[in-house]
Amino acid sequence: MPSSGRHFLQIPGPTNVPERILRAMARPTIDHRGAEFGRLGLEVLAGLKDVFKTSGRIVIFPASGTGAWEAALVNLFSPGDKVLMFETGHFATLWRAMAENLGLDVDFVPGDWRHGVDPLALEARLTDDPERRIKGVMVVHNETSTGVTSSVDAVRNTLDRAGHPALLLVDTISSLASIDYRHDEWGVDVTVAGSQKGLMLPPGLSFNAISEKAQALSKSARLPKSYWDWQPMLAANTAGFFPSTPATNLLYGLSEALQILREDGMDNVFARHDRHAEATRRAVRAWGLEILCADPKEYSSSLTAVLLPAGHDADRLREIILENFNMSLGNGLGKLQRKVFRIGHLGDFNDLMLAGTLSGVEMGLALAGVPHSSGGVAAALDYLTQAAEARRSQNAQTAVT
Ligand SMILES: Cc1ncc(COP(=O)(O)O)c(C=O)c1O
């Protein structure tokens, strides 16, 4: 593997950590019970509200995203509670396994791993539940294993139309700060997130944004909990503190990440992710390969999963690309193992990094003997050039008016 230059980390998370964040974390750890820490805690807890688009409470647990899944479940439900989940892919399947391990009664709506949540299937389940036994509806906003998004808005509207009181829980681990997301507006009760993707941080922080309804219901939830209990966390957080030792240096990084997102503007961040996703899809189509996501309305702006022709091994392709060009791409997960590779285009990323990424894939396809047409990179560059041109004329127009 070449050792010069930078490694291209183009898995769909953990993502590239910007120098500014690395530098912000490289500071001495401070007393987590002291006033300086309290100020940091209050600042990041307040700053996160703009990212989740909520005026409500958010808690941060030192953990990977899986911890935030568990926190959401144990704080809201009691043994035997019925919940509805959707088989959108590998992560939805893992969340379901966790819910079952914790003693919940999961109705897992089957899916083909190429589509998002079907609001009609949800509607049918809700209509079939006159006794309101379904206590929670769980949705993965962006399925990282497939590159398919689900419309949280449509799920909310379906619940409202049915007048169903089930809680709405949404996993935004690979969408937060990459794809437009609105906790309050979409009436989400708990949003689950992690630090290592759109927030551009290393892994290690997990988040729950919590509605008032969820806070109230959590007081009577009977699943066993201790570390994940929201109550001591919410109480300590009012002064910026944590009930146990927080991940202080990751919080320095979070403060810097929030600053970067404020400087860029969330809408610009989403537009950049949309642009890189569209350029990637144009490359994939020009190569003559198939995008796993079957419905263009559900294309992910965080990552693109690409199907290889039958008889070709996606892991071999990834290995060849890593060995020759020092780039890591995402592997196929669960039943997609060896069938797809995933291009992460989220987090701290720009046009030229995407050009390099797609060049590595195109050269890798040739080296691995995967049948394809050349010209994917050229198609992506054309699109990026047009988009830059459009931005230039827009800026010129704004300068005049
Ligand atoms: C959508 C989604 N949910 C949950 C997880 C699990 O999070 P973690 O691996 O941080 O525990 C991931 C990880 O990539 C994910 O992408």
Side-chain angles (χ1 to χ4, degrees):
M1 192 197 297
S3 62
S4 56
R6 279 197 87 152
H7 176 67
F8 268 60
L9 182 66
Q10 295 318 133
I11 58 174
T15 60
N16 294 292
V17 180
E19 295 287 340
R20 272 178 70 175
I21 291 184
L22 290 173
R23 276 198 298 275
M25 290 189 305
R27 285 160 48 196
T29 304
I30 51 172
D31 172 12
H32 60 286
R33 311 273 185 219
E36 187 183 346
F37 183 88
R39 286 192 290 275
L40 172 68
L42 288 176
E43 180 220 308
V44 294
L45 288 166
L48 281 169
K49 290 179 194 279
D50 289 340
V51 178
F52 285 83
K53 297 197 179 156
T54 182
S55 57
R57 300 291 300 267
I58 298 167
V59 291
I60 309 172
F61 288 101
S64 79
T66 302
W69 268 352
E70 182 154 342
L73 299 182
V74 296
N75 279 285
L76 287 180
F77 300 115
S78 299
D81 273 355
K82 181 167 176 180
V83 294
L84 196 56
M85 301 177 89
F86 298 84
E87 190 196 357
T88 48
H90 183 67
F91 290 104
T93 304
L94 288 179
W95 202 9
R96 172 246 196 144
M98 173 188 273
E100 288 183 344
N101 288 340
L102 290 168
L104 299 183
D105 172 12
V106 183
D107 180 359
F108 198 45
V109 181
D112 66 358
W113 293 40
R114 301 192 71 169
H115 292 86
V117 171
D118 175 6
L120 293 177
L122 170 62
E123 190 176 355
R125 294 298 205 282
L126 297 176
T127 315
D128 238 21
D129 184 35
E131 290 164 18
R132 304 307 193 219
R133 288 191 54 235
I134 300 170
K135 300 290 180 227
V137 171
M138 277 87 115
V139 172
V140 177
H141 183 212
N142 184 71
E143 243 305 343
T144 324
S145 59
T146 61
V148 178
T149 56
S150 289
S151 169
V152 178
D153 199 19
V155 169
R156 174 78 266 162
N157 289 334
T158 307
L159 278 161
D160 288 349
R161 266 201 317 278
H164 200 294
L167 291 158
L168 175 57
L169 282 68
V170 181
D171 171 337
T172 63
I173 288 176
S174 59
S175 57
L176 190 81
S178 302
I179 300 172
D180 191 13
Y181 182 77
R182 307 167 186 203
H183 176 92
D184 283 2
E185 190 182 320
W186 294 340
V188 178
D189 291 297
V190 181
T191 297
V192 169
S195 53
Q196 74 273 25
K197 304 200 190 231
L199 287 175
M200 307 170 284
L201 293 162
L205 296 179
S206 65
F207 307 90
N208 281 170
I210 313 168
S211 73
E212 278 181 16
K213 176 178 164 188
Q215 273 187 67
L217 286 176
S218 71
K219 305 217 165 91
S220 52
R222 285 180 290 103
L223 280 180
K225 60 192 146 298
S226 178
Y227 178 75
W228 303 115
D229 192 345
W230 286 339
Q231 302 311 324
M233 186 62 96
L234 287 167
N237 280 179
T238 53
F241 295 108
F242 284 58
S244 56
T245 310
T248 309
N249 290 54
L250 282 170
L251 297 175
Y252 290 148
L254 176 59
S255 166
E256 192 67 23
L258 294 171
Q259 181 59 27
I260 293 173
L261 290 170
R262 272 192 297 270
E263 287 166 17
D264 286 354
M266 293 300 286
D267 288 342
N268 294 327
V269 170
F270 300 145
R272 164 165 57 80
H273 282 78
D274 290 345
R275 178 171 86 245
H276 291 151
E278 176 59 27
T280 303
R281 291 189 296 266
R282 288 184 184 217
V284 175
R285 287 191 203 106
W287 289 324
L289 298 177
E290 194 178 347
I291 296 165
L292 181 68
C293 178
D295 181 351
K297 287 196 298 298
E298 297 179 328
Y299 281 149
S300 167
S301 287
S302 302
L303 76 136
T304 302
V306 183
L307 272 165
L308 279 202
H312 291 271
D313 181 341
D315 282 357
R316 184 166 165 270
L317 170 70
R318 290 189 318 108
E319 240 170 69
I320 286 174
I321 291 172
L322 178 60
E323 267 169 26
N324 290 277
F325 308 118
N326 197 12
M327 175 164 71
S328 296
L329 295 167
N331 62 333
L333 293 169
K335 69 179 189 184
L336 297 170
Q337 250 177 30
R338 297 183 174 270
K339 295 191 170 74
V340 304
F341 68 94
R342 295 172 298 145
I343 303 172
H345 33 71
L346 73 165
D348 183 44
F349 201 50
N350 63 29
D351 289 7
L352 290 188
M353 290 163 86
L354 180 64
T357 300
L358 297 174
S359 300
V361 175
E362 190 161 316
M363 291 187 286
L365 289 168
L367 284 180
V370 175
H372 70 288
S373 312
S374 55
V377 173
L381 296 189
D382 278 351
Y383 177 74
L384 293 175
T385 311
Q386 283 163 28
E389 196 56 57
R391 283 199 305 280
R392 267 163 51 103
S393 55
Q394 175 128 37
N395 289 345
Q397 209 135 23
T398 319
V400 172
T401 51

